[in-house]
Short mmCIF file of all heavy atoms in Angstrom, two decimals:
data_model
loop_
_atom_site.label_atom_id
_atom_site.label_comp_id
_atom_site.label_asym_id
_atom_site.label_seq_id
_atom_site.Cartn_x
_atom_site.Cartn_y
_atom_site.Cartn_z
N ALA A 2 -68.71 -26.14 -16.18
CA ALA A 2 -67.59 -25.77 -17.05
C ALA A 2 -67.47 -26.80 -18.17
O ALA A 2 -67.64 -27.99 -17.94
CB ALA A 2 -66.30 -25.73 -16.25
N PRO A 3 -67.16 -26.35 -19.36
CA PRO A 3 -67.01 -27.28 -20.48
C PRO A 3 -65.74 -28.13 -20.34
O PRO A 3 -64.77 -27.71 -19.71
CB PRO A 3 -66.91 -26.37 -21.71
CG PRO A 3 -66.50 -25.05 -21.18
CD PRO A 3 -67.00 -24.97 -19.77
N MET A 4 -65.77 -29.30 -20.92
CA MET A 4 -64.62 -30.20 -20.90
C MET A 4 -63.77 -29.95 -22.14
O MET A 4 -64.30 -29.73 -23.23
CB MET A 4 -65.08 -31.65 -20.88
CG MET A 4 -63.95 -32.63 -20.71
SD MET A 4 -64.52 -34.32 -20.64
CE MET A 4 -64.74 -34.64 -22.38
N GLU A 5 -62.44 -30.00 -21.97
CA GLU A 5 -61.51 -29.80 -23.08
C GLU A 5 -60.53 -30.96 -23.11
O GLU A 5 -59.84 -31.24 -22.12
CB GLU A 5 -60.75 -28.49 -22.85
CG GLU A 5 -59.65 -28.23 -23.85
CD GLU A 5 -58.80 -27.02 -23.48
OE1 GLU A 5 -59.01 -26.40 -22.43
OE2 GLU A 5 -57.91 -26.70 -24.29
N ASN A 6 -60.46 -31.68 -24.22
CA ASN A 6 -59.49 -32.76 -24.37
C ASN A 6 -58.11 -32.15 -24.61
O ASN A 6 -57.94 -31.34 -25.52
CB ASN A 6 -59.85 -33.67 -25.54
CG ASN A 6 -61.03 -34.55 -25.23
OD1 ASN A 6 -61.14 -35.09 -24.15
ND2 ASN A 6 -61.92 -34.70 -26.19
N LEU A 7 -57.13 -32.56 -23.80
CA LEU A 7 -55.76 -32.09 -23.95
C LEU A 7 -54.91 -33.12 -24.68
O LEU A 7 -53.95 -32.79 -25.35
CB LEU A 7 -55.15 -31.76 -22.59
CG LEU A 7 -55.90 -30.72 -21.76
CD1 LEU A 7 -55.23 -30.56 -20.41
CD2 LEU A 7 -55.98 -29.40 -22.50
N HIS A 8 -55.26 -34.41 -24.49
CA HIS A 8 -54.55 -35.50 -25.18
C HIS A 8 -55.51 -36.68 -25.26
O HIS A 8 -56.10 -37.07 -24.26
CB HIS A 8 -53.30 -35.91 -24.39
CG HIS A 8 -52.66 -37.15 -24.95
ND1 HIS A 8 -51.77 -37.11 -26.00
CD2 HIS A 8 -52.80 -38.46 -24.62
CE1 HIS A 8 -51.37 -38.35 -26.27
NE2 HIS A 8 -51.99 -39.18 -25.45
N VAL A 9 -55.65 -37.23 -26.45
CA VAL A 9 -56.45 -38.44 -26.65
C VAL A 9 -55.59 -39.42 -27.41
O VAL A 9 -55.18 -39.16 -28.54
CB VAL A 9 -57.75 -38.13 -27.44
CG1 VAL A 9 -58.53 -39.41 -27.67
CG2 VAL A 9 -58.59 -37.10 -26.72
N GLY A 10 -55.28 -40.53 -26.76
CA GLY A 10 -54.45 -41.55 -27.39
C GLY A 10 -55.13 -42.90 -27.33
O GLY A 10 -56.26 -43.03 -26.84
N GLU A 11 -54.45 -43.91 -27.81
CA GLU A 11 -54.98 -45.27 -27.83
C GLU A 11 -55.28 -45.75 -26.40
O GLU A 11 -56.30 -46.38 -26.15
CB GLU A 11 -53.93 -46.16 -28.48
CG GLU A 11 -54.32 -47.33 -29.29
CD GLU A 11 -55.55 -47.26 -30.16
OE1 GLU A 11 -55.67 -46.41 -31.04
OE2 GLU A 11 -56.40 -48.13 -29.96
N GLN A 12 -54.38 -45.46 -25.46
CA GLN A 12 -54.54 -45.93 -24.08
C GLN A 12 -54.54 -44.81 -23.05
O GLN A 12 -54.86 -45.05 -21.89
CB GLN A 12 -53.41 -46.91 -23.73
CG GLN A 12 -53.40 -48.18 -24.56
CD GLN A 12 -54.57 -49.10 -24.22
OE1 GLN A 12 -54.99 -49.20 -23.10
NE2 GLN A 12 -55.09 -49.76 -25.24
N ALA A 13 -54.16 -43.60 -23.43
CA ALA A 13 -54.07 -42.48 -22.47
C ALA A 13 -55.02 -41.36 -22.89
O ALA A 13 -55.19 -41.09 -24.07
CB ALA A 13 -52.65 -41.97 -22.40
N TRP A 14 -55.60 -40.72 -21.89
CA TRP A 14 -56.53 -39.62 -22.12
C TRP A 14 -56.28 -38.56 -21.05
O TRP A 14 -56.21 -38.89 -19.86
CB TRP A 14 -57.95 -40.14 -22.03
CG TRP A 14 -59.05 -39.14 -22.23
CD1 TRP A 14 -59.02 -38.03 -23.02
CD2 TRP A 14 -60.35 -39.17 -21.64
NE1 TRP A 14 -60.22 -37.37 -22.97
CE2 TRP A 14 -61.06 -38.05 -22.11
CE3 TRP A 14 -60.98 -40.03 -20.76
CZ2 TRP A 14 -62.37 -37.77 -21.74
CZ3 TRP A 14 -62.28 -39.75 -20.39
CH2 TRP A 14 -62.96 -38.64 -20.88
N VAL A 15 -56.12 -37.33 -21.46
CA VAL A 15 -55.95 -36.21 -20.53
C VAL A 15 -56.99 -35.16 -20.91
O VAL A 15 -57.08 -34.76 -22.07
CB VAL A 15 -54.53 -35.61 -20.60
CG1 VAL A 15 -54.38 -34.48 -19.58
CG2 VAL A 15 -53.46 -36.68 -20.39
N PHE A 16 -57.76 -34.73 -19.91
CA PHE A 16 -58.76 -33.71 -20.18
C PHE A 16 -58.81 -32.70 -19.04
O PHE A 16 -58.34 -32.96 -17.94
CB PHE A 16 -60.15 -34.32 -20.43
CG PHE A 16 -60.77 -35.00 -19.24
CD1 PHE A 16 -61.60 -34.30 -18.38
CD2 PHE A 16 -60.53 -36.34 -18.99
CE1 PHE A 16 -62.19 -34.93 -17.30
CE2 PHE A 16 -61.12 -36.98 -17.91
CZ PHE A 16 -61.96 -36.27 -17.06
N ARG A 17 -59.38 -31.55 -19.36
CA ARG A 17 -59.51 -30.46 -18.40
C ARG A 17 -60.99 -30.08 -18.31
O ARG A 17 -61.68 -29.99 -19.31
CB ARG A 17 -58.70 -29.27 -18.88
CG ARG A 17 -58.86 -28.06 -18.02
CD ARG A 17 -58.14 -26.87 -18.66
NE ARG A 17 -57.90 -25.93 -17.61
CZ ARG A 17 -56.75 -25.35 -17.36
NH1 ARG A 17 -55.73 -25.56 -18.14
NH2 ARG A 17 -56.61 -24.53 -16.36
N ARG A 18 -61.42 -29.88 -17.09
CA ARG A 18 -62.77 -29.36 -16.85
C ARG A 18 -62.65 -28.31 -15.76
O ARG A 18 -62.30 -28.63 -14.63
CB ARG A 18 -63.72 -30.46 -16.45
CG ARG A 18 -65.13 -29.96 -16.31
CD ARG A 18 -66.11 -31.07 -16.29
NE ARG A 18 -67.44 -30.49 -16.40
CZ ARG A 18 -68.50 -31.14 -16.77
NH1 ARG A 18 -68.39 -32.40 -17.08
NH2 ARG A 18 -69.65 -30.54 -16.82
N GLY A 19 -62.90 -27.07 -16.11
CA GLY A 19 -62.70 -25.98 -15.16
C GLY A 19 -61.23 -25.87 -14.80
O GLY A 19 -60.37 -25.83 -15.67
N ASN A 20 -60.93 -25.88 -13.51
CA ASN A 20 -59.55 -25.79 -13.04
C ASN A 20 -58.91 -27.16 -12.81
O ASN A 20 -57.79 -27.24 -12.31
CB ASN A 20 -59.49 -24.99 -11.73
CG ASN A 20 -59.84 -23.54 -11.96
OD1 ASN A 20 -59.58 -23.00 -13.02
ND2 ASN A 20 -60.45 -22.93 -10.97
N THR A 21 -59.62 -28.23 -13.12
CA THR A 21 -59.14 -29.58 -12.85
C THR A 21 -58.67 -30.26 -14.13
O THR A 21 -59.34 -30.22 -15.15
CB THR A 21 -60.27 -30.43 -12.20
OG1 THR A 21 -60.72 -29.75 -11.02
CG2 THR A 21 -59.78 -31.81 -11.84
N VAL A 22 -57.49 -30.91 -14.04
CA VAL A 22 -56.97 -31.71 -15.14
C VAL A 22 -56.93 -33.17 -14.67
O VAL A 22 -56.40 -33.47 -13.59
CB VAL A 22 -55.56 -31.25 -15.57
CG1 VAL A 22 -54.98 -32.20 -16.62
CG2 VAL A 22 -55.61 -29.83 -16.11
N VAL A 23 -57.50 -34.08 -15.48
CA VAL A 23 -57.52 -35.50 -15.17
C VAL A 23 -56.75 -36.24 -16.25
O VAL A 23 -56.94 -35.99 -17.44
CB VAL A 23 -58.97 -36.04 -15.10
CG1 VAL A 23 -58.99 -37.54 -14.85
CG2 VAL A 23 -59.76 -35.30 -14.02
N ALA A 24 -55.85 -37.14 -15.83
CA ALA A 24 -55.06 -37.94 -16.77
C ALA A 24 -55.29 -39.42 -16.45
O ALA A 24 -55.19 -39.83 -15.29
CB ALA A 24 -53.57 -37.60 -16.62
N LEU A 25 -55.62 -40.21 -17.47
CA LEU A 25 -55.90 -41.63 -17.29
C LEU A 25 -55.03 -42.45 -18.24
O LEU A 25 -54.83 -42.06 -19.38
CB LEU A 25 -57.37 -41.91 -17.58
CG LEU A 25 -58.38 -41.12 -16.74
CD1 LEU A 25 -59.78 -41.30 -17.29
CD2 LEU A 25 -58.31 -41.54 -15.29
N ASN A 26 -54.55 -43.59 -17.75
CA ASN A 26 -53.75 -44.49 -18.57
C ASN A 26 -54.28 -45.91 -18.38
O ASN A 26 -54.22 -46.45 -17.27
CB ASN A 26 -52.27 -44.41 -18.18
CG ASN A 26 -51.40 -45.34 -18.99
OD1 ASN A 26 -51.83 -45.88 -20.01
ND2 ASN A 26 -50.18 -45.55 -18.55
N ASN A 27 -54.76 -46.52 -19.43
CA ASN A 27 -55.31 -47.87 -19.39
C ASN A 27 -54.29 -48.93 -19.81
O ASN A 27 -54.58 -50.12 -19.81
CB ASN A 27 -56.55 -47.95 -20.29
CG ASN A 27 -57.31 -49.23 -20.09
OD1 ASN A 27 -57.49 -49.68 -18.97
ND2 ASN A 27 -57.78 -49.81 -21.18
N SER A 28 -53.09 -48.51 -20.16
CA SER A 28 -52.06 -49.43 -20.66
C SER A 28 -51.35 -50.15 -19.51
O SER A 28 -51.29 -49.65 -18.39
CB SER A 28 -51.03 -48.65 -21.48
OG SER A 28 -49.98 -49.50 -21.88
N ALA A 29 -50.76 -51.30 -19.82
CA ALA A 29 -49.94 -52.03 -18.86
C ALA A 29 -48.56 -51.40 -18.71
O ALA A 29 -47.77 -51.84 -17.88
CB ALA A 29 -49.82 -53.49 -19.28
N GLN A 30 -48.28 -50.37 -19.51
CA GLN A 30 -47.00 -49.66 -19.43
C GLN A 30 -47.27 -48.18 -19.17
O GLN A 30 -48.33 -47.67 -19.52
CB GLN A 30 -46.21 -49.81 -20.73
CG GLN A 30 -45.86 -51.25 -21.04
CD GLN A 30 -45.13 -51.38 -22.36
OE1 GLN A 30 -44.97 -50.41 -23.09
NE2 GLN A 30 -44.68 -52.58 -22.66
N SER A 31 -46.30 -47.50 -18.56
CA SER A 31 -46.49 -46.08 -18.31
C SER A 31 -46.60 -45.33 -19.63
O SER A 31 -46.10 -45.78 -20.66
CB SER A 31 -45.35 -45.52 -17.45
OG SER A 31 -44.13 -45.66 -18.11
N ALA A 32 -47.29 -44.21 -19.59
CA ALA A 32 -47.49 -43.40 -20.78
C ALA A 32 -46.86 -42.02 -20.56
O ALA A 32 -46.98 -41.45 -19.49
CB ALA A 32 -48.98 -43.24 -21.07
N VAL A 33 -46.22 -41.52 -21.59
CA VAL A 33 -45.66 -40.18 -21.56
C VAL A 33 -46.43 -39.36 -22.59
O VAL A 33 -46.47 -39.73 -23.76
CB VAL A 33 -44.15 -40.18 -21.89
CG1 VAL A 33 -43.62 -38.76 -21.94
CG2 VAL A 33 -43.38 -41.01 -20.87
N VAL A 34 -47.07 -38.30 -22.12
CA VAL A 34 -47.82 -37.44 -23.04
C VAL A 34 -47.25 -36.04 -22.99
O VAL A 34 -46.71 -35.61 -21.97
CB VAL A 34 -49.34 -37.43 -22.72
CG1 VAL A 34 -49.93 -38.81 -22.86
CG2 VAL A 34 -49.61 -36.90 -21.33
N ARG A 35 -47.37 -35.35 -24.09
CA ARG A 35 -46.88 -33.98 -24.19
C ARG A 35 -48.08 -33.05 -24.32
O ARG A 35 -48.94 -33.27 -25.16
CB ARG A 35 -45.94 -33.83 -25.37
CG ARG A 35 -44.60 -34.50 -25.10
CD ARG A 35 -43.76 -34.62 -26.34
NE ARG A 35 -42.48 -35.25 -26.22
CZ ARG A 35 -42.16 -36.35 -25.59
NH1 ARG A 35 -43.07 -36.99 -24.92
NH2 ARG A 35 -40.94 -36.85 -25.59
N LEU A 36 -48.09 -32.04 -23.46
CA LEU A 36 -49.18 -31.08 -23.44
C LEU A 36 -48.64 -29.70 -23.76
O LEU A 36 -47.46 -29.43 -23.53
CB LEU A 36 -49.83 -31.06 -22.05
CG LEU A 36 -50.34 -32.39 -21.51
CD1 LEU A 36 -50.81 -32.22 -20.07
CD2 LEU A 36 -51.46 -32.91 -22.38
N PRO A 37 -49.49 -28.79 -24.22
CA PRO A 37 -49.04 -27.42 -24.45
C PRO A 37 -48.54 -26.81 -23.14
O PRO A 37 -49.10 -27.05 -22.08
CB PRO A 37 -50.30 -26.70 -24.93
CG PRO A 37 -51.21 -27.77 -25.40
CD PRO A 37 -50.89 -28.99 -24.58
N ALA A 38 -47.47 -26.03 -23.21
CA ALA A 38 -46.88 -25.42 -22.02
C ALA A 38 -47.89 -24.54 -21.30
O ALA A 38 -47.77 -24.30 -20.10
CB ALA A 38 -45.64 -24.62 -22.40
N ALA A 39 -48.92 -24.08 -21.99
CA ALA A 39 -49.94 -23.25 -21.36
C ALA A 39 -50.65 -24.00 -20.24
O ALA A 39 -51.26 -23.38 -19.37
CB ALA A 39 -50.95 -22.79 -22.41
N GLN A 40 -50.57 -25.32 -20.21
CA GLN A 40 -51.23 -26.12 -19.16
C GLN A 40 -50.38 -26.20 -17.89
O GLN A 40 -50.82 -26.73 -16.88
CB GLN A 40 -51.52 -27.54 -19.67
CG GLN A 40 -52.39 -27.58 -20.88
CD GLN A 40 -53.72 -26.87 -20.67
OE1 GLN A 40 -54.32 -26.91 -19.61
NE2 GLN A 40 -54.19 -26.19 -21.70
N ARG A 41 -49.16 -25.69 -17.93
CA ARG A 41 -48.23 -25.79 -16.80
C ARG A 41 -48.87 -25.32 -15.49
O ARG A 41 -48.75 -25.97 -14.46
CB ARG A 41 -46.96 -25.01 -17.07
CG ARG A 41 -45.91 -25.16 -16.00
CD ARG A 41 -44.65 -24.37 -16.33
NE ARG A 41 -44.13 -24.62 -17.67
CZ ARG A 41 -43.38 -25.65 -18.01
NH1 ARG A 41 -43.06 -26.55 -17.12
NH2 ARG A 41 -42.94 -25.79 -19.24
N GLY A 42 -49.58 -24.21 -15.51
CA GLY A 42 -50.20 -23.68 -14.30
C GLY A 42 -51.27 -24.60 -13.75
O GLY A 42 -51.52 -24.62 -12.55
N ALA A 43 -51.91 -25.38 -14.61
CA ALA A 43 -52.98 -26.28 -14.17
C ALA A 43 -52.43 -27.54 -13.51
O ALA A 43 -53.11 -28.19 -12.75
CB ALA A 43 -53.85 -26.67 -15.37
N LEU A 44 -51.18 -27.88 -13.84
CA LEU A 44 -50.61 -29.11 -13.31
C LEU A 44 -49.78 -28.81 -12.07
O LEU A 44 -48.56 -28.75 -12.11
CB LEU A 44 -49.76 -29.81 -14.37
CG LEU A 44 -50.50 -30.23 -15.63
CD1 LEU A 44 -49.54 -30.93 -16.59
CD2 LEU A 44 -51.67 -31.12 -15.32
N GLY A 45 -50.45 -28.65 -10.96
CA GLY A 45 -49.77 -28.44 -9.69
C GLY A 45 -49.33 -29.80 -9.15
O GLY A 45 -48.65 -30.56 -9.82
N THR A 46 -49.79 -30.14 -7.97
CA THR A 46 -49.47 -31.42 -7.36
C THR A 46 -50.61 -32.40 -7.63
O THR A 46 -51.78 -32.06 -7.47
CB THR A 46 -49.29 -31.25 -5.84
OG1 THR A 46 -48.26 -30.30 -5.61
CG2 THR A 46 -48.91 -32.56 -5.18
N ASP A 47 -50.25 -33.61 -8.03
CA ASP A 47 -51.25 -34.64 -8.28
C ASP A 47 -51.91 -35.03 -6.97
O ASP A 47 -51.25 -35.45 -6.03
CB ASP A 47 -50.57 -35.85 -8.93
CG ASP A 47 -51.49 -37.04 -9.10
OD1 ASP A 47 -52.72 -36.85 -9.11
OD2 ASP A 47 -50.97 -38.16 -9.25
N ALA A 48 -53.22 -34.89 -6.88
CA ALA A 48 -53.96 -35.20 -5.66
C ALA A 48 -53.86 -36.68 -5.28
O ALA A 48 -54.01 -37.04 -4.12
CB ALA A 48 -55.42 -34.79 -5.81
N LEU A 49 -53.58 -37.54 -6.26
CA LEU A 49 -53.47 -38.97 -6.00
C LEU A 49 -52.01 -39.42 -5.85
O LEU A 49 -51.75 -40.59 -5.61
CB LEU A 49 -54.14 -39.76 -7.13
CG LEU A 49 -55.61 -39.41 -7.38
CD1 LEU A 49 -56.14 -40.18 -8.58
CD2 LEU A 49 -56.44 -39.67 -6.15
N ALA A 50 -51.08 -38.50 -6.03
CA ALA A 50 -49.64 -38.77 -5.91
C ALA A 50 -49.16 -39.90 -6.81
O ALA A 50 -48.30 -40.68 -6.44
CB ALA A 50 -49.27 -39.04 -4.45
N ALA A 51 -49.71 -39.99 -8.02
CA ALA A 51 -49.33 -41.05 -8.94
C ALA A 51 -48.52 -40.53 -10.13
O ALA A 51 -47.67 -41.25 -10.65
CB ALA A 51 -50.56 -41.78 -9.45
N CYS A 52 -48.78 -39.31 -10.56
CA CYS A 52 -48.17 -38.77 -11.78
C CYS A 52 -47.14 -37.69 -11.48
O CYS A 52 -47.19 -37.04 -10.44
CB CYS A 52 -49.23 -38.15 -12.68
SG CYS A 52 -50.38 -39.33 -13.36
N THR A 53 -46.24 -37.53 -12.44
CA THR A 53 -45.28 -36.44 -12.35
C THR A 53 -45.37 -35.61 -13.62
O THR A 53 -45.49 -36.14 -14.72
CB THR A 53 -43.84 -36.96 -12.20
OG1 THR A 53 -43.54 -37.84 -13.30
CG2 THR A 53 -43.65 -37.73 -10.91
N ALA A 54 -45.34 -34.31 -13.45
CA ALA A 54 -45.30 -33.39 -14.58
C ALA A 54 -43.95 -32.71 -14.56
O ALA A 54 -43.46 -32.30 -13.51
CB ALA A 54 -46.42 -32.37 -14.46
N ALA A 55 -43.32 -32.65 -15.69
CA ALA A 55 -41.99 -32.04 -15.77
C ALA A 55 -41.97 -31.03 -16.90
O ALA A 55 -42.82 -31.06 -17.78
CB ALA A 55 -40.94 -33.12 -16.01
N GLY A 56 -41.00 -30.17 -16.84
CA GLY A 56 -40.82 -29.20 -17.92
C GLY A 56 -40.50 -29.91 -19.21
O GLY A 56 -40.16 -31.08 -19.23
N GLY A 57 -40.62 -29.19 -20.27
CA GLY A 57 -40.34 -29.79 -21.57
C GLY A 57 -39.61 -28.81 -22.46
O GLY A 57 -39.17 -27.76 -22.01
N ASP A 58 -39.49 -29.17 -23.70
CA ASP A 58 -38.83 -28.32 -24.68
C ASP A 58 -39.80 -27.27 -25.20
O ASP A 58 -40.92 -27.59 -25.58
CB ASP A 58 -38.33 -29.15 -25.87
CG ASP A 58 -37.14 -30.00 -25.51
OD1 ASP A 58 -36.53 -29.74 -24.46
OD2 ASP A 58 -36.82 -30.92 -26.28
N GLY A 59 -39.36 -26.05 -25.21
CA GLY A 59 -40.13 -24.97 -25.82
C GLY A 59 -41.55 -24.89 -25.35
O GLY A 59 -41.82 -24.61 -24.20
N GLY A 60 -42.48 -25.19 -26.22
CA GLY A 60 -43.88 -25.02 -25.92
C GLY A 60 -44.58 -26.26 -25.41
O GLY A 60 -45.79 -26.37 -25.51
N GLU A 61 -43.83 -27.24 -24.88
CA GLU A 61 -44.45 -28.47 -24.42
C GLU A 61 -44.15 -28.76 -22.97
O GLU A 61 -43.13 -28.36 -22.42
CB GLU A 61 -43.96 -29.66 -25.25
CG GLU A 61 -44.43 -29.64 -26.68
CD GLU A 61 -44.06 -30.92 -27.40
OE1 GLU A 61 -43.08 -31.58 -27.01
OE2 GLU A 61 -44.74 -31.24 -28.38
N LEU A 62 -45.06 -29.50 -22.34
CA LEU A 62 -44.92 -29.98 -20.97
C LEU A 62 -45.06 -31.49 -21.04
O LEU A 62 -45.96 -32.01 -21.71
CB LEU A 62 -46.03 -29.38 -20.11
CG LEU A 62 -46.12 -29.84 -18.67
CD1 LEU A 62 -44.93 -29.27 -17.89
CD2 LEU A 62 -47.41 -29.35 -18.04
N THR A 63 -44.18 -32.23 -20.37
CA THR A 63 -44.22 -33.68 -20.40
C THR A 63 -44.89 -34.20 -19.14
O THR A 63 -44.53 -33.80 -18.03
CB THR A 63 -42.79 -34.25 -20.49
OG1 THR A 63 -42.18 -33.74 -21.67
CG2 THR A 63 -42.81 -35.76 -20.57
N LEU A 64 -45.85 -35.09 -19.31
CA LEU A 64 -46.58 -35.71 -18.20
C LEU A 64 -46.40 -37.21 -18.29
O LEU A 64 -46.67 -37.81 -19.33
CB LEU A 64 -48.06 -35.34 -18.28
CG LEU A 64 -49.01 -35.98 -17.30
CD1 LEU A 64 -48.68 -35.54 -15.87
CD2 LEU A 64 -50.45 -35.62 -17.64
N THR A 65 -45.94 -37.84 -17.20
CA THR A 65 -45.78 -39.29 -17.16
C THR A 65 -46.89 -39.88 -16.29
O THR A 65 -47.03 -39.52 -15.12
CB THR A 65 -44.40 -39.68 -16.58
OG1 THR A 65 -43.39 -39.09 -17.39
CG2 THR A 65 -44.22 -41.19 -16.59
N ILE A 66 -47.66 -40.78 -16.90
CA ILE A 66 -48.77 -41.44 -16.20
C ILE A 66 -48.40 -42.91 -16.02
O ILE A 66 -48.19 -43.62 -17.01
CB ILE A 66 -50.08 -41.35 -17.01
CG1 ILE A 66 -50.31 -39.93 -17.51
CG2 ILE A 66 -51.25 -41.83 -16.19
CD1 ILE A 66 -51.38 -39.82 -18.58
N PRO A 67 -48.30 -43.40 -14.78
CA PRO A 67 -47.95 -44.80 -14.57
C PRO A 67 -48.97 -45.76 -15.19
O PRO A 67 -50.12 -45.37 -15.47
CB PRO A 67 -47.93 -44.93 -13.04
CG PRO A 67 -47.78 -43.55 -12.54
CD PRO A 67 -48.46 -42.66 -13.55
N ALA A 68 -48.57 -47.01 -15.35
CA ALA A 68 -49.44 -48.04 -15.92
C ALA A 68 -50.72 -48.19 -15.11
O ALA A 68 -50.68 -48.23 -13.88
CB ALA A 68 -48.70 -49.37 -15.97
N ARG A 69 -51.84 -48.22 -15.81
CA ARG A 69 -53.16 -48.44 -15.23
C ARG A 69 -53.45 -47.55 -14.02
O ARG A 69 -53.97 -47.99 -13.01
CB ARG A 69 -53.33 -49.91 -14.85
CG ARG A 69 -53.15 -50.84 -16.04
CD ARG A 69 -53.75 -52.21 -15.77
NE ARG A 69 -53.32 -53.18 -16.73
CZ ARG A 69 -53.76 -53.32 -17.96
NH1 ARG A 69 -54.64 -52.49 -18.45
NH2 ARG A 69 -53.32 -54.27 -18.75
N LYS A 70 -53.10 -46.28 -14.17
CA LYS A 70 -53.32 -45.30 -13.10
C LYS A 70 -54.04 -44.09 -13.64
O LYS A 70 -54.16 -43.88 -14.84
CB LYS A 70 -51.99 -44.83 -12.50
CG LYS A 70 -51.18 -45.90 -11.85
CD LYS A 70 -51.51 -46.03 -10.40
CE LYS A 70 -50.57 -47.05 -9.80
NZ LYS A 70 -51.00 -47.60 -8.59
N GLY A 71 -54.48 -43.26 -12.72
CA GLY A 71 -55.08 -41.99 -13.05
C GLY A 71 -54.50 -40.91 -12.15
O GLY A 71 -53.98 -41.21 -11.08
N CYS A 72 -54.59 -39.67 -12.59
CA CYS A 72 -54.05 -38.54 -11.84
C CYS A 72 -55.06 -37.41 -11.89
O CYS A 72 -55.76 -37.24 -12.88
CB CYS A 72 -52.76 -38.06 -12.46
SG CYS A 72 -51.65 -39.37 -12.95
N VAL A 73 -55.09 -36.64 -10.83
CA VAL A 73 -55.98 -35.48 -10.76
C VAL A 73 -55.16 -34.29 -10.31
O VAL A 73 -54.56 -34.31 -9.22
CB VAL A 73 -57.15 -35.73 -9.77
CG1 VAL A 73 -58.05 -34.50 -9.69
CG2 VAL A 73 -57.95 -36.95 -10.17
N PHE A 74 -55.11 -33.27 -11.15
CA PHE A 74 -54.36 -32.05 -10.83
C PHE A 74 -55.33 -30.92 -10.62
O PHE A 74 -56.33 -30.80 -11.28
CB PHE A 74 -53.40 -31.67 -11.97
CG PHE A 74 -52.33 -32.68 -12.19
CD1 PHE A 74 -52.46 -33.67 -13.15
CD2 PHE A 74 -51.15 -32.63 -11.46
CE1 PHE A 74 -51.45 -34.58 -13.38
CE2 PHE A 74 -50.13 -33.54 -11.68
CZ PHE A 74 -50.28 -34.52 -12.65
#
């Protein structure tokens, strides 16, 4: 399956490959990223229990990635 970048930042990166979404944060502080609401179905429960995905305004979904952590949805 091809890889699709959902968010690329200075310290945070979120990408999708097939049915899996991976979120990485290299910063010493937690990162909050906003994703298109269409990704809501892909963000079930984090397999590593590190990240939380919450609803957002209109067409966005908010994902919080703790400092120096990764998440797999």
Side-chain angles (χ1 to χ4, degrees):
M4 187 179 80
E5 174 188 4
N6 287 318
L7 303 177
H8 172 85
V9 178
E11 212 37 59
Q12 297 290 324
W14 179 32
V15 182
F16 66 92
R17 175 186 201 131
R18 185 164 190 161
N20 293 329
T21 304
V22 174
V23 177
L25 303 169
N26 179 13
N27 191 41
S28 175
Q30 298 178 354
S31 61
V33 176
V34 298
R35 287 168 181 45
L36 304 174
Q40 301 304 323
R41 185 179 310 278
L44 299 181
T46 302
D47 174 21
L49 304 177
C52 293
T53 57
D58 288 345
E61 292 187 335
L62 176 70
T63 302
L64 175 64
T65 302
I66 312 166
R69 302 199 195 283
K70 298 269 185 200
C72 317
V73 179
F74 295 95

